[in-house]
């Protein structure tokens, strides 16, 4: 189903109504990442939703960094996030924005709330505040500082801003209702003292606004019409609305929530992903096993596949766990349509064609893709010594094994029919070479005796083969829900999630392989050039995904 033909999701229905009834003239959405890690597949859902709505309804979508926590945020993450959003194929409106751009305005609005008697400086420490807050079943108690004079709060808040109050000694809190059933309305903290340098504002601010105080106000400043976030913020919506109502903000955005994406066999928490990186379980945020955008990209997943996946899973108001097989499906579907074909032998076994003239070479040609005529034909040099995969040869086998067997025939893909005549072994009985004869009359034709070999195997010519490394990946976790309940996700990291094969032999045309392009290695799967470890003349290929779902067969 395409974007145009599928039924509208609940947010699209809502927006359609807002436009029809004139509540909104132009849709303005935003994607608001916190720059404290790299984007993951869960964020892709939010990106596709926010940017997709803007595209669909002729609106715009901003990219705003929610940089209100100086301790965890870094420029590296800002750069990576911008890069990832652009790679996914989305263009944000105007310049990138930052919550920190609004620090001065937010400070002024905080003063406004104090003057209106709607905020106060509180001197309870963190433990006391927790105690006064009450529980889900018991109301909270008023802070002893709640009714201090406005002027006193104003003076203290200014002191906090100047940096003369120690960390933890005071906070600014909204004055709402300590008995509210919704805990977020029990005089939430609007500002904390943090004497930590910020990645953009340096030491200019010793106080930082809370997420709740920064987020909706940032939306209002930018004229966001639909502020879309995940369900865990549903309980924050009354506070979002309270702040918008009680501040002289330039517009009145509204918040809507949707169900977050959870994917089995992986995790979608930046904190946990960071732990995998920091503790060396993987080799960086862009490790091809990571569910990060940069990891998926390095793995060879095309951006169109991620967008298609998000279309497939849809947008609803409930959380759920999506089966990794759906992502795999989207990836295979996209690569099958677009990936040029090639041959690469992962576990090479030498084949010598004893009846092929020494020193002779033919340039055979093969289609770039079975149906895409726009993908150029490939040239496959053919000569007396070839490589086939070790797993494609057996000395003896039953009929199920439709590959090369001693005394039998097989077709070399895009080339001739050969017959295995003899094997050469070392002292330990390991097969070193297979001696075969080729049938010169079988290029693009059946053998003259009419006996068609059952199997087709891939190969490359030995003298012109491109030597390469191939990295095979499996799921990062061996458990479907590695972080459920009281599980420690680190206990379930799949020790076989990376397998490195050296000395693989690829058809020579792959010397021109480009990063960010997927290739189908015939009979093996989809592969891409690794952007980090490849060297001139010594490429490294990552397996993006196999041709079929091997997990289904195992479980
Ligand atoms: P994490 O839990 O990984 O730290 P986060 O929600 O704290 O994620 P943000 O950078 O604040 O990360 O997220 C930016 C936006 O992406 C938010 O609007 C958030 O709701 C959304 N988002 C984050 N994770 C998911 C997910 N798994 N599915 C859908 N949207 C998500
Ligand atoms: Mg967040």
């Amino acid at each position: 189903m395409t974007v145009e033909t599928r039924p509208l999701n609940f947010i699209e229905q809502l927006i359609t109504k807002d436009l029809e009834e004139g509540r909104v003239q132009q849709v303005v959405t935003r994607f608001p990442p916190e720059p404290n890690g790299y984007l993951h597949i869960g964020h892709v859902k939010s990106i596709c939703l926010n940017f997709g709505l803007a595209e669909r309804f002729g609106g715009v979508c901003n990219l705003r960094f929610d940089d209100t926590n100086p301790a965890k945020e870094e420029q590296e993450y800002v750069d990576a996030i911008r890069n990832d959003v652009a790679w996914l194929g989305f263009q944000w409106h105007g310049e990138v924005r930052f919550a920190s751009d609004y620090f001065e305005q937010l400070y002024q609005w905080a003063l406004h709330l104090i003057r209106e008697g709607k905020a106060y400086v509180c001197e309870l420490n963190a433990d006391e505040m927790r105690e006064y807050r009450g529980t889900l079943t018991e109301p909270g108690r008023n802070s002893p500082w709640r009714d201090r004079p406005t002027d006193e709060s104003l003076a203290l808040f200014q002191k906090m801003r100047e940096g003369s109050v120690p960390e933890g000694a005071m906070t600014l809190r909204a004055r709402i209702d300590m008995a509210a059933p919704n805990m977020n309305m029990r005089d939430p903290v609007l500002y904390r003292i943090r004497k930590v340098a910020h990645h953009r504002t340096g030491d200019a601010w010793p106080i930082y606004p809370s997420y709740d105080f920064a987020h909706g106000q940032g939306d209002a400043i930018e004229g966001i019409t639909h502020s879309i976030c995940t369900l865990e913020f549903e309980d924050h919506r009354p506070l979002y609305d309270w702040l918008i109502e009680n501040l002289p903000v330039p517009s009145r955005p509204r918040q809507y929530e949707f169900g977050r994406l959870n994917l089995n066999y992986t995790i979608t928490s930046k904190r946990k992903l960071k732990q995998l990186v920091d503790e060396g379980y993987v080799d960086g945020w862009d490790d091809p096993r990571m569910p990060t955008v940069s990891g998926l990209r390095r793995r060879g997943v095309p951006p169109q596949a991620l967008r298609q996946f998000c279309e497939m899973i849809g947008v609803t108001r409930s959380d759920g766990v999506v089966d990794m097989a759906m992502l795999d499906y989207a990836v295979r579907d996209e690569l099958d349509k677009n990936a040029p074909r090639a041959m690469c032998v992962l576990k090479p076994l030498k084949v010598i064609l004893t009846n092929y003239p020494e020193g002779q070479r033919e340039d055979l040609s093969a289609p770039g893709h079975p149906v895409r005529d726009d993908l150029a034909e490939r040239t496959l040099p053919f000569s007396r010594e070839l490589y086939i995969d070790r797993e494609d040869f057996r000395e003896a086998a039953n009929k199920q094994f439709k590959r090369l067997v001693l005394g039998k025939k097989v077709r070399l893909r895009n080339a001739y029919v050969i017959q295995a005549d003899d094997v050469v072994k070392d002292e330990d009985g390991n097969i070193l070479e297979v001696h075969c004869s080729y049938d010169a009359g079988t290029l693009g034709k059946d053998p003259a005796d009419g006996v068609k070999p059952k199997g087709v195997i891939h190969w490359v010519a030995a003298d012109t083969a491109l030597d390469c490394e191939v990295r095979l990946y499996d799921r990062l976790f061996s458990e479907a829900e590695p972080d459920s309940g009281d599980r420690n996700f680190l206990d379930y990291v799949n020790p076989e999630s990376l397998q490195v094969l050296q000395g693989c032999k690829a058809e020579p045309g792959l010397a021109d392989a480009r990063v960010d392009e997927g290739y189908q290695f015939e009979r093996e799967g989809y592969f891409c050039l690794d952007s980090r470890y490849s060297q001139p003349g010594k490429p490294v290929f990552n397996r993006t995904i196999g041709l079929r779902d091997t997990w289904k067969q195992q479980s």
Side-chain angles (χ1 to χ4, degrees), residues 319-354:
D319 285 332
V321 181
V322 171
D323 194 332
M324 182 71 98
M326 267 174 95
L327 176 59
D328 291 350
Y329 173 85
V331 174
R332 282 197 191 95
D333 188 50
E334 184 62 34
L335 288 170
D336 181 42
K337 280 188 270 181
N338 299 312
R341 274 36 176 181
M343 291 196 286
C344 179
V345 174
L346 302 191
K347 297 181 189 127
L349 171 62
K350 182 72 84 58
V351 161
I352 298 181
L353 303 178
T354 50

Side-chain angles (χ1 to χ4, degrees), residues 239-254:
L239 177 55
Y240 186 101
D241 292 340
W242 186 91
L243 289 165
I244 294 290
E245 267 158 40
N246 286 286
L247 287 169
V249 288
S251 77
R252 311 197 96 206
R254 298 200 50 189

Side-chain angles (χ1 to χ4, degrees), residues 31-34 40 42-43 45-46 230 258 260-261 268-270:
F31 173 64
E34 185 182 349
H40 54 62
H43 295 113
K45 179 176 180 183
S46 176
T230 36
F258 71 101
R260 63 188 290 126
L261 167 65
T268 46
S269 149
K270 272 186 285 189

Side-chain angles (χ1 to χ4, degrees), residues 534-539:
S534 293
Q535 312 241 329
K538 186 75 207 300

Side-chain angles (χ1 to χ4, degrees), residues 58-105:
V60 294
C61 180
N62 292 350
L63 174 59
R64 183 199 320 144
F65 287 96
D66 181 4
D67 56 345
T68 52
N69 180 355
K72 292 187 178 163
E73 296 163 3
E74 287 173 28
Q75 187 61 38
E76 178 197 345
Y77 300 138
V78 171
D79 297 340
I81 291 170
R82 291 176 67 131
N83 219 351
D84 288 348
V85 174
W87 176 74
L88 283 167
F90 294 111
Q91 180 58 61
W92 51 87
H93 180 58
E95 295 293 308
V96 169
R97 292 146 216 264
F98 294 86
S100 55
D101 292 340
Y102 312 138
F103 280 175
E104 181 58 34
Q105 175 66 81

Side-chain angles (χ1 to χ4, degrees), residues 30-36 39-47 50 66 81 211 215 228-230 232-233 258-262 268-271 273:
R30 86 287 169 268
F31 173 64
E34 185 182 349
N36 61 350
L39 298 181
H40 54 62
I41 182 91
H43 295 113
V44 176
K45 179 176 180 183
S46 176
I47 293 169
N50 281 295
D66 181 4
I81 291 170
Y211 167 86
H215 200 84
I228 298 161
C229 58
T230 36
E232 67 269 24
F233 291 101
F258 71 101
R260 63 188 290 126
L261 167 65
N262 301 301
T268 46
S269 149
K270 272 186 285 189
R271 184 180 58 77
L273 292 172

Side-chain angles (χ1 to χ4, degrees), residues 120 122 124 127-135 138-147 173 177-180 183 186-187:
Y120 60 96
C122 180
L124 294 181
D127 288 338
E128 291 163 339
M129 205 179 295
R130 209 167 301 126
E131 205 190 301
Y132 274 76
R133 204 164 170 234
T135 63
E138 273 170 56
R141 281 177 294 138
N142 285 352
S143 158
W145 312 101
R146 195 174 202 260
D147 294 318
R173 298 176 70 180
D177 179 6
M178 286 308 292
M183 305 275 282
R186 295 185 187 171
D187 291 11

